Each structure stands twice: as structure tokens, then as C-alpha cells.
Amino acid sequence: MALRSLVSRKTLGLASSGLKLQFRGLQTFSLPDLPYDYGALEPAISGEIMQLHHQKHHQTYITNYNKALEQLHHAMEKGDSSAVVKLQSAIKFNGGGHVNHSIFWKNLAPAREGGGEPPHGNLGWAIDEDFGSLESLIQKMSAEGAAVQGSGWVWLGLDKESKKLVIETTANQDPLVTLGPLVPLLGIDVWEHAYYLQYKNVRPDYLKNIWKVVNWKYAGEVYDKERA
Amino acid sequence: MVAAAAATAANPLACSLFPSKGLRGTASGLQWTKRQCTRKTGPLTVTAKFELKPPPYPMDALEPHMSKETFEYHWGKHHRAYVNNLNKQIEGTGLDDMSLDDVVLVTYNKGDPLPAFNNAAQAWNHDFFWESMKPGGGGKPPGELLQLIERDFGSFDEFVQEFKSAAATQFGSGWAWLVYKANRLDVGNAENPCPSEEDKKLVVVKSPNAVNPLIWDYYPLLTIDVWEHAYYLDFQNRRPDYISTFMEKLVSWDAVSARLEVAKARAAEREIEEARKKKEEEEKNFTDKNPPEIFIDGVADDSESD
């Protein structure tokens, strides 16, 4: 069993990203560290928001995801199909919350560490080709993010089939992959918890300022990897 | 005492908070009841747009359980934006002289919502939410409402658990509701073979984003807003604390009781109306199948006289 744990850690390469292995190989997840301080994205996003968002919201998704996975494990062991099916919505919501937030933290960077710096290289060219310019991509993504009803996300993704960049929105914590063969390059959280303490009801202002701390370098790396 | 409170509260609630009866089934179209808030200005009758109604208590009246700041944003910004955007969307569309209830139902468009649905339903939901609370609320519901809750949920505590759980587990933005369900089979030729008073019961439901139980043909009695903007300034991520505070300190059981009275009366009226229509239909069918003899005699007479 110890061997199995060791092997899956190694092969999955997740040892450092907070993956833990519990009894009988059941994986549980823990909160990944932020690659910057809570206050480092100010004034675009306040330290208070970042701390609550990371320590409370993301942590809660992880806690409930682990709970649901454990219940799933037991339900599968017992061959209880209706329990397995019933768990799907909790897994999608909480697992999606974990997936999305893990991407989101990497999508942001303090201005002094390159946050907001326009994408160079292949992604920069692809944006010009598919959207005309970075400005028009930003405008379109901001508009679509502002129009999301209730809670959700707006994404810049790479369509693996057409090799084109696409802008999509997902409801609640649905990850981008629920829409098709799309790789998320940049996700912006438009849940109220992502901006309310600072921007209150004015979501468009949040969507205007967040571009000052977008980590295009990370998005470019994912793009290069997927296009390679 | 309670009955008196219910009776006085019933009228204003009745005007705006329930769908006008008979909306379903009027397939022939726009026979919607017009809103009562038209006003005369000189020779012209101007139909007022939907107005942002002030909450039934001052903005700071729910302190410390719901802060004045939350209220100022929630009512003053969010609710106002829903109403303003709705008015812009429906101007000149023919929706602008319906009641808000009807706009909600019409724009829901049988599950394929029109653009105005979100704003219409959110305008409705917030009106209903403000009136679901009162300063010094909470506690236990009065008399008959409590009996029904105990009948349908086992006990008041079990109801509270179910309501709290619905509110806490609504994924993302939305609402949790206590509704009165009149449980009619609403499918053309289907009929409930053994209808009884027990068919009508209290049920807890939750709904995503703007959706409200009018679209399921339920009578809403109580709601809690679980969009994050409803509690984030006061409770941040602690939605369960907000829900407990709402139940323990804010719920206006008087309003819920009054709505129940109206809902029961509406459901009864509707039953009578439906029974009358059904009887008419049957009589019509009978007449169609069995034309009166006098008609035949008449024809016979005519032919003879020719």
C-alpha cells in the first residue's frame, strides 16, 4: 500500500501541489499555497478578499470535495449506485471549485512580478489573430463576465480541435472542461465573493481592474504546452 | 389577534405577491389583468413603470442582524438595478402593462426564458424578501401555520432544518423558499383520481439565480436570498450563520401567515373556477354529442312547412 501511494505520488507529480493520500489509496486534496502574498495584488484586489477567497472559500470547496470523494468511495465499495449518482452534483460543484480556484491563483500575479504585462510569443500572436487585438479580447471577456447571471466564471480557452482561442462562460463552479475539449488559459471568477468587499455591486469595475494583475506569462506557457 | 393581523396584512399582499389566478390555460393570449398603478395625468392615461418599492421598515431596522450597509446596497443598488433594467427591457413590448407576477410568468416562457425574465423575477423576489422579514422577527409561527408546519414536516425544528439545509446547499446564487403547494395535476387530460385536503401542503424548495416558485405554480410563503450579496458584507463566507440569524431573528411569521391565508383562498377560488369550467366543458360536449331534439323537430317542422 505504501508502495502504491509512493508510485501514484510520483507518477501524478502532485506531491507538491497539496495532494495527500489516505487509507487505501483514497486521495484527498489540500489547499495549495498562493504564489504571492495576500496583499500583493492590491490595489486591484484587496488583501482581505484574497485571504477570505483562498483560506475560506477555496478551503471549503476542498473540504467538501474530500467529503464527497470519501462518500463516493464507500458508495462504490458497497455497489450503491443511487448513492454514487446522487454524489455527482456535489463532486462537480466542489471539485469544480477546487479546479477553478487552483487555476485562478496562477492566473494572477502582482504587478511588480509581471502582472498585467501583455502576452508575448505565440499566445500574443494567437490573440491578435483570433480577436484582432489584446484590447478587444479584454473588452469581450469583460463584457461576457459582466453578463454572467448569478455566480460563475469567464474563460479564455484553447479549443483543442480547432486550435482556436475561445471565450466561454460557465455557471457556478462548472469547470471549462464541462463545455468540451477546451483547455483553460485564463479564468476570471465572477462570483460576488471574488469582488464584493471591494467593488460591491459594481462587477464591471472589478473586471476593469483585474487585467492589471493578470499573469499572461502563465497563460502563454499553458498555450505553448498545449500547442506543442 | 393573529387573525386580525393576518387579515389586515392579507390585502396589500394579495395585490402584488401572488400570480393572478387563471393565468395558465388562457392560451388564447393577452388577457392579463392590468396593473392597478396607472395614473391619470390630464387627458392622457400614463401607465407607470414598475417602481422600486421601499422596504416596509427603515434601512437600519434589522440591525445588528442585517446591517444598514448591506441594506443600502442590496435594496438601493441591486434591487434598484433589477427594476431599472426591467423597465428598460420591457418598454414598448406589451409587457409593460402587465402585473409583475404576469411578467415573471410570461417571460419565463415555459422554461425558455426571455431576456427580461431575470430582472422581472429578481424584482419580484426582492419585494417578497423584504416583506419576509421584520424587526424583532424570528421565533415560532402562530396558530394554524404552526399546525400545518408540524403536519407537513413532523415538527417546527424539522422544518427549520430542512429550510436551512435548502438555503445552505443551493449551489451558487439563488433562493430557498417555503411554499404552499396546491398539487393539482396540470396536464391536459390528467386528473387526480382521489383529491383530498392532504394534497395541499407546505414544501421547502430552492431555486437558482432569479428563478422563483411562481413558475412551478406554487404559492410562495417565505424566502431567503442566498446570493452572496445578501450576506457578504455582514457574514462573508459564513452563509450558514446568515441563514440561522435570518431564521432566529428576522423571519416575519405574520407575513408568512397572511400569505398562507391568501394562498389558501386563491387555491380554493381556483378550484371552484376550474370545476365550473370543467362542468361547462362537459355540458358543451354533451350538447354537441346530443343535439337537442327541439333542433331536429324544428328542422322537421321547417321541411314540412315547405
Side-chain angles (χ1 to χ4, degrees), chain A residues 70-86:
Chain A
E70 198 184 325
Q71 289 168 344
L72 180 69
H73 181 76
H74 292 310
M76 285 171 70
E77 264 187 350
K78 280 194 285 179
D80 184 347
S81 297
S82 68
V84 169
V85 172
K86 190 167 177 248

mmCIF file of all heavy atoms in Angstrom, chain A residues 70-86:
data_model
loop_
_atom_site.group_PDB
_atom_site.id
_atom_site.type_symbol
_atom_site.label_atom_id
_atom_site.label_comp_id
_atom_site.label_asym_id
_atom_site.label_seq_id
_atom_site.Cartn_x
_atom_site.Cartn_y
_atom_site.Cartn_z
ATOM 1 N N GLU A 70 -14.899 10.764 -0.371
ATOM 2 C CA GLU A 70 -14.904 9.672 0.601
ATOM 3 C C GLU A 70 -16.241 8.931 0.554
ATOM 4 O O GLU A 70 -16.291 7.698 0.566
ATOM 5 C CB GLU A 70 -14.649 10.231 2.002
ATOM 6 C CG GLU A 70 -14.207 9.167 2.971
ATOM 7 C CD GLU A 70 -14.034 9.704 4.394
ATOM 8 O OE1 GLU A 70 -13.612 10.874 4.526
ATOM 9 O OE2 GLU A 70 -14.345 8.965 5.338
ATOM 10 N N GLN A 71 -17.318 9.714 0.467
ATOM 11 C CA GLN A 71 -18.641 9.089 0.357
ATOM 12 C C GLN A 71 -18.758 8.283 -0.935
ATOM 13 O O GLN A 71 -19.341 7.204 -0.955
ATOM 14 C CB GLN A 71 -19.739 10.167 0.398
ATOM 15 C CG GLN A 71 -19.896 10.790 1.781
ATOM 16 C CD GLN A 71 -20.768 12.049 1.757
ATOM 17 O OE1 GLN A 71 -21.020 12.621 0.703
ATOM 18 N NE2 GLN A 71 -21.209 12.474 2.937
ATOM 19 N N LEU A 72 -18.164 8.816 -1.975
ATOM 20 C CA LEU A 72 -18.187 8.107 -3.261
ATOM 21 C C LEU A 72 -17.450 6.769 -3.136
ATOM 22 O O LEU A 72 -17.916 5.733 -3.620
ATOM 23 C CB LEU A 72 -17.525 8.969 -4.341
ATOM 24 C CG LEU A 72 -17.464 8.360 -5.740
ATOM 25 C CD1 LEU A 72 -18.856 8.271 -6.356
ATOM 26 C CD2 LEU A 72 -16.546 9.176 -6.657
ATOM 27 N N HIS A 73 -16.321 6.834 -2.472
ATOM 28 C CA HIS A 73 -15.508 5.635 -2.256
ATOM 29 C C HIS A 73 -16.333 4.551 -1.544
ATOM 30 O O HIS A 73 -16.383 3.408 -1.986
ATOM 31 C CB HIS A 73 -14.294 6.046 -1.417
ATOM 32 C CG HIS A 73 -13.344 4.934 -1.135
ATOM 33 N ND1 HIS A 73 -12.473 4.456 -2.089
ATOM 34 C CD2 HIS A 73 -13.122 4.199 -0.012
ATOM 35 C CE1 HIS A 73 -11.747 3.480 -1.557
ATOM 36 N NE2 HIS A 73 -12.125 3.310 -0.302
ATOM 37 N N HIS A 74 -17.024 4.973 -0.473
ATOM 38 C CA HIS A 74 -17.837 3.995 0.266
ATOM 39 C C HIS A 74 -19.001 3.491 -0.581
ATOM 40 O O HIS A 74 -19.301 2.297 -0.574
ATOM 41 C CB HIS A 74 -18.367 4.615 1.562
ATOM 42 C CG HIS A 74 -17.279 4.899 2.554
ATOM 43 N ND1 HIS A 74 -16.342 3.965 2.903
ATOM 44 C CD2 HIS A 74 -16.972 6.020 3.254
ATOM 45 C CE1 HIS A 74 -15.484 4.492 3.788
ATOM 46 N NE2 HIS A 74 -15.853 5.750 4.006
ATOM 47 N N ALA A 75 -19.628 4.402 -1.297
ATOM 48 C CA ALA A 75 -20.780 4.016 -2.117
ATOM 49 C C ALA A 75 -20.352 3.014 -3.194
ATOM 50 O O ALA A 75 -21.064 2.050 -3.488
ATOM 51 C CB ALA A 75 -21.411 5.247 -2.756
ATOM 52 N N MET A 76 -19.171 3.239 -3.760
ATOM 53 C CA MET A 76 -18.696 2.324 -4.801
ATOM 54 C C MET A 76 -18.323 0.977 -4.215
ATOM 55 O O MET A 76 -18.593 -0.067 -4.807
ATOM 56 C CB MET A 76 -17.510 2.951 -5.545
ATOM 57 C CG MET A 76 -17.963 4.050 -6.498
ATOM 58 S SD MET A 76 -16.624 4.993 -7.218
ATOM 59 C CE MET A 76 -15.897 3.779 -8.309
ATOM 60 N N GLU A 77 -17.729 1.027 -3.040
ATOM 61 C CA GLU A 77 -17.383 -0.243 -2.364
ATOM 62 C C GLU A 77 -18.622 -1.084 -2.109
ATOM 63 O O GLU A 77 -18.601 -2.291 -2.233
ATOM 64 C CB GLU A 77 -16.696 0.056 -1.031
ATOM 65 C CG GLU A 77 -15.203 0.037 -1.122
ATOM 66 C CD GLU A 77 -14.562 0.164 0.261
ATOM 67 O OE1 GLU A 77 -15.286 0.456 1.243
ATOM 68 O OE2 GLU A 77 -13.354 -0.018 0.347
ATOM 69 N N LYS A 78 -19.703 -0.378 -1.737
ATOM 70 C CA LYS A 78 -20.940 -1.093 -1.421
ATOM 71 C C LYS A 78 -21.763 -1.396 -2.668
ATOM 72 O O LYS A 78 -22.792 -2.044 -2.594
ATOM 73 C CB LYS A 78 -21.794 -0.248 -0.456
ATOM 74 C CG LYS A 78 -21.317 -0.356 0.983
ATOM 75 C CD LYS A 78 -22.360 0.197 1.956
ATOM 76 C CE LYS A 78 -22.373 1.720 1.928
ATOM 77 N NZ LYS A 78 -23.355 2.322 2.822
ATOM 78 N N GLY A 79 -21.313 -0.864 -3.789
ATOM 79 C CA GLY A 79 -22.082 -1.056 -5.017
ATOM 80 C C GLY A 79 -23.423 -0.327 -4.972
ATOM 81 O O GLY A 79 -24.399 -0.752 -5.577
ATOM 82 N N ASP A 80 -23.457 0.789 -4.225
ATOM 83 C CA ASP A 80 -24.711 1.541 -4.071
ATOM 84 C C ASP A 80 -24.831 2.583 -5.195
ATOM 85 O O ASP A 80 -24.409 3.728 -5.059
ATOM 86 C CB ASP A 80 -24.693 2.225 -2.700
ATOM 87 C CG ASP A 80 -25.997 2.962 -2.407
ATOM 88 O OD1 ASP A 80 -26.808 3.157 -3.343
ATOM 89 O OD2 ASP A 80 -26.184 3.344 -1.235
ATOM 90 N N SER A 81 -25.415 2.164 -6.313
ATOM 91 C CA SER A 81 -25.421 3.030 -7.499
ATOM 92 C C SER A 81 -26.181 4.332 -7.279
ATOM 93 O O SER A 81 -25.773 5.384 -7.763
ATOM 94 C CB SER A 81 -26.039 2.299 -8.691
ATOM 95 O OG SER A 81 -25.248 1.195 -9.007
ATOM 96 N N SER A 82 -27.284 4.287 -6.570
ATOM 97 C CA SER A 82 -28.037 5.530 -6.421
ATOM 98 C C SER A 82 -27.251 6.530 -5.576
ATOM 99 O O SER A 82 -27.291 7.734 -5.830
ATOM 100 C CB SER A 82 -29.447 5.279 -5.874
ATOM 101 O OG SER A 82 -29.383 4.828 -4.554
ATOM 102 N N ALA A 83 -26.508 6.034 -4.603
ATOM 103 C CA ALA A 83 -25.659 6.944 -3.815
ATOM 104 C C ALA A 83 -24.546 7.519 -4.690
ATOM 105 O O ALA A 83 -24.202 8.699 -4.572
ATOM 106 C CB ALA A 83 -25.069 6.208 -2.612
ATOM 107 N N VAL A 84 -23.993 6.690 -5.571
ATOM 108 C CA VAL A 84 -22.937 7.169 -6.475
ATOM 109 C C VAL A 84 -23.474 8.304 -7.343
ATOM 110 O O VAL A 84 -22.858 9.362 -7.465
ATOM 111 C CB VAL A 84 -22.418 6.012 -7.375
ATOM 112 C CG1 VAL A 84 -21.528 6.559 -8.492
ATOM 113 C CG2 VAL A 84 -21.646 4.994 -6.544
ATOM 114 N N VAL A 85 -24.644 8.073 -7.913
ATOM 115 C CA VAL A 85 -25.222 9.081 -8.802
ATOM 116 C C VAL A 85 -25.554 10.360 -8.035
ATOM 117 O O VAL A 85 -25.324 11.475 -8.495
ATOM 118 C CB VAL A 85 -26.475 8.516 -9.512
ATOM 119 C CG1 VAL A 85 -27.193 9.608 -10.288
ATOM 120 C CG2 VAL A 85 -26.083 7.375 -10.440
ATOM 121 N N LYS A 86 -26.098 10.182 -6.819
ATOM 122 C CA LYS A 86 -26.500 11.333 -6.021
ATOM 123 C C LYS A 86 -25.312 12.239 -5.682
ATOM 124 O O LYS A 86 -25.478 13.440 -5.488
ATOM 125 C CB LYS A 86 -27.170 10.826 -4.734
ATOM 126 C CG LYS A 86 -27.855 11.906 -3.937
ATOM 127 C CD LYS A 86 -28.763 11.345 -2.866
ATOM 128 C CE LYS A 86 -29.358 12.481 -2.061
ATOM 129 N NZ LYS A 86 -28.862 12.517 -0.685
#
